[in-house]
């Protein structure tokens, strides 16, 4: 009898899992209307959990989340490490015909050749968000964060590669440098910025944006989409890419190695890559779409906005954050020192 009850419980659990899809994603990064449309079309319930950094997401997967979620949204540079750790399963491209909609430059990324494990979701950049009502001259440099002679308090981004990247670019170095002396110099600069009386702490995800909108900071290091979305609701805030340059990112959809419902995961990825759905996503998030077929449906004012689709001169100042393999420990060690002191 006990064996029969256990079997029935297992079958019930399996049936329940087949009727839901679990999404693990950055906060404020998905239009609820898209979720509702997906649920209606496929008769699935979507359960959503949120994270604020790639590091948080990776830690959760390593702690057992690899068997709890069906779709995750990691950034470009962390995918090689996830593959090496066996946290991702290869995509079944036969179930994702809409992969053909991706712009060719996003269809065979260097961090995941041939899109074996991932499909592009949104792309954007980091930079500085500021209060127009608190500054006389709009900022154009990382100096408003790293120069102690500057005024105005600020929020730092709690994301290792973007925040270290800002310090590196201010010093004239590449975001992807492997030179220990350069990484250590950036760490020293960042530690000084953290200890400054102008600093009001680190915030992950949308936290920095929220603090600036609330009026507790003059500057904040943020992602462009978060800033642009806030600016559409508050005329006192704006966004700029510093003249020294900043980090360019591509976020992607992937399926954990032990996802409970991989079939639903493939349906979801294919759904997001529909042209009109892809455009709806970017029109909501205010990030650029990697979906070439979605471009005709993007808001015209967003297509003309250089803070979303940067000009050639701005693009030239941006660097993709790359996987550094064993050299990533240089950044990890320096970041740990910055955060703990």
């Amino acid at each position: 009898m006990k064996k029969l009850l256990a079997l029935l419980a297992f079958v019930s659990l399996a049936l329940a899992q087949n009727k839901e899809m679990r999404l693990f994603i950055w906060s404020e990064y998905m239009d609820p209307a898209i979720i509702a449309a997906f649920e209606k079309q496929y008769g699935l319930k979507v359960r959503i959990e949120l994270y604020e950094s790639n590091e948080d997401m990776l830690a959760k997967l390593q702690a057992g989340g690899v068997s709890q979620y069906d779709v995750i949204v990691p950034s470009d540079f962390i995918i090689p490490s996830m593959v090496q750790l066996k946290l991702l399963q290869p995509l079944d491209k036969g179930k994702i015909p809409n992969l053909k909609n991706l712009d060719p430059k996003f269809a065979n990324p260097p961090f995941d050749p041939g899109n074996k494990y991932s499909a592009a979701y949104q792309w954007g950049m980091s930079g500085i968000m500021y209060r127009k009502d608190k500054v006389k001259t709009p900022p154009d440099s990382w100096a408003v964060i790293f120069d102690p002679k500057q005024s105005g308090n600020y929020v730092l981004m709690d994301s290792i590669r973007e925040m270290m990247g800002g310090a590196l670019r201010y010093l004239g170095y590449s975001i992807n440098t492997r030179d220990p002396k350069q990484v250590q110099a950036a760490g020293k600069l960042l530690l000084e910025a953290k200890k400054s009386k102008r600093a009001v702490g680190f915030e992950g995800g949308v936290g920095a944006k929220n603090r600036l909108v609330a009026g507790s900071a003059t500057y904040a290091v943020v992602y462009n989409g978060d800033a642009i979305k806030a600016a559409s609701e508050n005329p006192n805030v704006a966004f700029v890419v510093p003249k020294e340059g900043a980090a360019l990112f591509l976020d992607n959809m992937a399926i954990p190695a032990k996802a409970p419902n991989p079939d639903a995961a493939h349906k979801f990825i294919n759904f997001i890559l529909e042209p009109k759905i892809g455009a709806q996503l970017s029109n909501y998030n205010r990030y650029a779409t990697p979906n070439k077929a979605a471009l005709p449906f993007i808001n015209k004012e967003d297509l003309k906005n250089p803070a979303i689709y940067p000009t050639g001169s701005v693009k030239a100042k941006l660097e993709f954050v790359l996987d550094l393999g064993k050299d990533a420990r240089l950044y990890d060690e320096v970041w740990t020192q910055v955060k703990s002191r």
Side-chain angles (χ1 to χ4, degrees):
M1 186 64 177
K2 288 183 179 179
K3 289 184 178 180
L4 178 60
L5 290 174
L7 178 62
L8 289 172
F10 176 79
V11 171
S12 296
L13 178 61
L15 290 173
Q17 287 178 337
N18 286 335
K19 291 183 179 179
E20 71 176 24
M21 198 223 47
R22 299 180 181 184
L23 175 64
F24 196 30
I25 191 170
W26 303 78
S27 61
E28 298 186 24
Y29 210 22
M30 172 56 68
D31 183 354
I34 290 177
I35 296 297
F38 175 77
E39 290 178 327
K40 182 177 180 181
Q41 180 166 328
Y42 290 102
L44 290 161
K45 176 66 178 175
V46 177
R47 290 175 55 183
I48 300 176
E49 287 190 38
L50 306 174
Y51 56 85
E52 302 296 343
S53 73
N54 283 291
E55 293 73 30
D56 289 345
M57 177 269 298
L58 183 61
K60 186 68 177 285
L61 290 185
Q62 290 180 297
V66 71
S67 60
Q68 296 174 12
Y69 306 110
D70 298 304
V71 176
I72 55 175
V73 187
S75 297
D76 39 23
F77 72 91
I78 205 167
I79 287 178
S81 295
M82 298 180 75
V83 172
Q84 188 175 11
L85 292 168
K86 302 187 185 308
L87 294 174
L88 302 179
Q89 62 177 267
L91 299 178
D92 183 344
K93 295 180 184 178
K95 296 180 179 179
I96 314 176
N98 285 330
L99 274 172
K100 70 180 185 299
N101 293 332
L102 288 177
D103 188 301
K105 62 176 171 277
F106 297 111
N108 186 34
F111 58 85
D112 182 24
N115 289 108
K116 184 176 180 181
Y117 293 95
S118 65
Y121 181 74
Q122 300 270 263
W123 66 270
M125 65 207 88
S126 57
I128 297 172
M129 184 178 175
Y130 64 97
R131 294 282 309 206
K132 294 192 292 184
D133 55 340
K134 291 186 177 183
V135 300
K136 292 181 180 179
T137 305
D140 67 349
S141 168
W142 285 108
V144 295
I145 305 294
F146 297 119
D147 183 352
K149 297 178 183 178
Q150 299 279 340
S151 60
N153 55 1
Y154 51 78
V155 185
L156 301 170
M157 181 187 284
D158 194 7
S159 184
I160 177 172
R161 295 296 301 279
E162 285 88 354
M163 198 63 250
M164 285 288 291
L168 285 163
R169 291 298 302 217
Y170 181 64
L171 293 171
Y173 305 138
S174 167
I175 282 173
N176 300 299
T177 181
R178 296 170 184 262
D179 185 326
K181 290 184 179 179
Q182 293 181 358
V183 177
Q184 288 163 6
K188 182 175 181 292
L189 185 67
L190 189 52
L191 180 59
E192 291 170 352
K194 173 198 172 182
K195 291 185 173 181
S196 168
K197 292 180 180 179
R198 296 195 296 130
V200 292
F202 285 87
E203 288 284 356
V206 299
K209 176 264 293 185
N210 291 338
R211 291 185 73 167
L212 185 132
V213 169
S216 60
T218 302
Y219 306 104
V221 182
V222 301
Y223 297 113
N224 62 314
D226 293 334
I228 293 161
K229 202 171 176 184
S232 67
E233 301 166 357
N234 187 328
N236 288 321
V237 302
F239 174 84
V240 65
V241 176
K243 63 184 180 183
E244 299 90 355
L248 187 66
F249 70 83
L250 174 65
D251 285 340
N252 307 268
M253 296 173 285
I255 304 175
K258 298 179 181 179
N261 195 348
D263 184 61
H266 283 88
K267 285 184 171 68
F268 183 78
I269 292 173
N270 195 60
F271 186 76
I272 294 297
L273 293 176
E274 288 280 350
K276 289 186 177 180
I277 296 296
Q280 182 180 343
L281 179 67
S282 284
N283 290 338
Y284 172 83
N285 282 333
R286 312 301 293 279
Y287 284 105
T289 182
N291 187 335
K292 189 174 183 179
L295 288 172
F297 308 103
I298 296 292
N299 290 333
K300 296 299 184 287
E301 59 270 26
D302 282 357
L303 284 175
K304 297 175 183 177
N305 189 340
I308 303 176
Y309 294 90
T311 61
S313 60
V314 172
K315 271 186 180 178
K317 300 186 293 184
L318 300 171
E319 282 188 271
F320 270 114
V321 178
L322 303 179
D323 171 53
L324 299 176
K326 61 182 178 58
D327 290 322
R329 63 179 175 75
L330 297 172
Y331 290 78
D332 293 337
E333 290 169 0
V334 168
W335 184 252
T336 299
Q337 291 172 7
V338 170
K339 294 296 293 292
S340 63
R341 290 171 65 182

